[in-house]
Amino acid sequence: GAGVSQSPSNKVTEKGKDVELRCDPISGHTALYWYRQSLGQGLEFLIYFQGNSAPDKSGLPSDRFSAERTGGSVSTLTIQRTQQEDSAVYLCASSTRQSTYEQYFGPGTRLTVT
Amino acid sequence: GENVEQHPSTLSVQEGDSAVIKCTYSDSASNYFPWYKQELGKRPQLIIDIRSNVGEKKDQRIAVTLNKTAKHFSLHITETQPEDSAVYFCAASTPSGGTSYGKLTFGQGTILTVHP
């Protein structure tokens, strides 16, 4: 079946603009995660959604970052007033209820703030 | 929160040799330890994982060992091949929100180069 998809694949924006990044998880996956990977670095946890529970937002670096998950499926990560240090690859992952440990990653969105 | 340290940061081996990458974690509540392989410009791919009730797991040329007492786990790749060249990340999953699973905390990665 289809894997996790993300759009856009690349986004170039000017400093100060807002951006929205989209994630479509694998159908039926109840858990959805956002991570950030800066150049040559590991993956940094941002936010985690599980079903109808309140999201775990403990990894969001500032109040400029927010995320929504509508209808328990698609998620949107929004970065307001982008800064150059926001430049990174933003990765989304999802996992199932039956196999909730394994996380399957999307291809990522490469964000460049100029 | 959880902290995962990974060593070495780079590893260079000859084809056919073994490669070992080691990680330590800080939170004794962490209960799931996956390893991901990431090729340049690609998404991370799960290659093997281990849960906290198991000490060792093997899948063909890849094995992972876990020492819960010492809070460390290792990836072992035998008979390395050039196509094993990639960045490898370890991670630890810490339960949250009343569930038995949760977010992953990643190590900083190991760049593995296998020379033909």
Side-chain angles (χ1 to χ4, degrees), chain B residues 47-112:
Chain B
I47 56 170
I48 195 167
D49 55 12
I50 192 166
R51 301 188 186 183
S52 58
N53 59 347
V54 176
E56 184 174 358
K57 183 177 179 181
K58 187 173 181 179
D59 182 4
Q60 298 183 341
R61 298 186 295 109
I62 297 174
V64 57
T65 58
L66 171 65
N67 183 326
K68 285 171 50 179
T69 303
K71 296 201 199 70
H72 67 68
F73 56 113
S74 300
L75 177 72
H76 305 252
I77 306 174
T78 58
E79 301 171 23
T80 53
Q81 301 167 2
E83 51 265 38
D84 294 330
S85 297
V87 181
Y88 290 80
F89 292 98
C90 65
S93 176
T94 313
S96 66
T99 66
S100 59
Y101 51 88
K103 64 187 180 187
L104 294 174
T105 302
F106 284 84
Q108 288 302 301
T110 296
I111 301 172
L112 173 65

Side-chain angles (χ1 to χ4, degrees), chain A residues 31-97:
Chain A
L32 187 149
Y33 309 79
W34 282 97
Y35 296 90
R36 177 170 71 173
Q37 186 172 30
S38 301
L39 187 63
Q41 299 294 312
L43 287 81
E44 172 191 8
F45 167 76
L46 297 177
I47 188 169
Y48 159 42
F49 296 90
Q50 171 54 48
N52 295 321
S53 302
D56 178 349
K57 303 180 181 180
S58 60
L60 294 178
S62 78
D63 58 9
R64 296 186 295 104
F65 288 72
S66 63
E68 290 185 339
R69 189 178 185 193
T70 54
S73 180
V74 171
S75 177
T76 302
L77 177 69
T78 301
I79 309 173
Q80 295 178 311
R81 305 181 301 282
T82 52
Q83 303 295 312
Q84 287 187 331
E85 60 262 30
D86 299 334
S87 296
V89 176
Y90 289 81
L91 289 155
C92 174
S94 69
S95 63
T96 69
R97 180 179 295 280

